[in-house]
Amino acid sequence: GNPFATRNDSATGDSGPPADQGSVDAAVQAAKQLSAMGIIYHYGGSHGPGLIGTTDPATLRSQGMDCSSSTSWVLHQAGMFPSTTADDSTGLESWGKAGQGNEMTVWANAIHVWIEFNVPGLGHYEMNTVNDLGGPRFLKWGDSGSMTSTAGFTPRHYPGT
């Protein structure tokens, strides 16, 4: 199957209708959209007021993104983070509800944050920022190497995910 398909995708790989806001599928679609923009990693990038509210690739590319702005962007675009200004990784340690989600977990600590997706019919993926890979990317689980270790991270989830 198509490794970038979501449950809402057709058999031909077309994205189909937008996923419901607040759903895992909406977060997967947002993560894939951000990954496809090819934005570079830049510490502190896209933390200015309103920047995670834009879907304009040129604006985001001009700013770059770091782990917390890219995580905030995905969550905002999926309807799970109301602010249009990114939070830092420490702030994301208290986002949503405590503990792991069934299909989606935000892993945060004082220095890094990333999203794990483990979705039936899709597979095990991560939305992570890895300098060697150039910036925020939707990756097959483990493709970021040591960046997928959950040791020392606080698991958080959006209700129902």
Side-chain angles (χ1 to χ4, degrees):
N2 178 353
F4 296 104
T6 68
R7 289 174 289 202
N8 287 345
D9 289 348
S10 70
T12 61
D14 296 330
S15 60
D20 292 334
Q21 289 290 286
S23 70
V24 173
D25 286 340
V28 168
Q29 285 181 351
K32 293 187 314 181
Q33 180 184 5
L34 183 59
S35 185
M37 289 184 201
I39 297 166
I40 63 163
Y41 178 86
H42 178 72
Y43 181 78
S46 295
H47 276 271
L51 285 172
I52 64 164
T54 185
T55 56
D56 177 47
T59 300
L60 295 170
R61 282 190 204 109
S62 73
Q63 297 286 316
M65 294 185 108
D66 64 10
C67 61
S68 54
S69 62
S70 59
T71 297
S72 296
W73 190 92
V74 168
L75 297 174
H76 176 77
Q77 298 302 321
M80 300 175 181
F81 184 85
S83 177
T84 57
T85 301
D87 208 344
D88 63 18
S89 61
T90 300
L92 289 166
E93 285 184 274
S94 59
W95 168 84
K97 300 286 185 184
Q100 290 180 252
N102 291 324
E103 298 180 0
M104 176 182 150
T105 302
V106 172
W107 295 96
N109 67 21
I111 58 172
H112 189 55
V113 62
W114 51 280
I115 306 171
E116 174 185 10
F117 297 99
N118 198 357
V119 183
L122 175 65
H124 203 181
Y125 286 83
E126 60 184 287
M127 179 68 204
N128 213 330
T129 52
V130 183
N131 293 340
D132 293 347
L133 298 177
R137 300 293 184 266
F138 183 72
L139 305 164
K140 188 77 174 156
W141 179 258
D143 281 358
S144 66
S146 63
M147 299 298 280
T148 53
S149 171
T150 59
F153 285 83
T154 300
R156 306 294 296 184
H157 70 281
Y158 191 76
T161 65

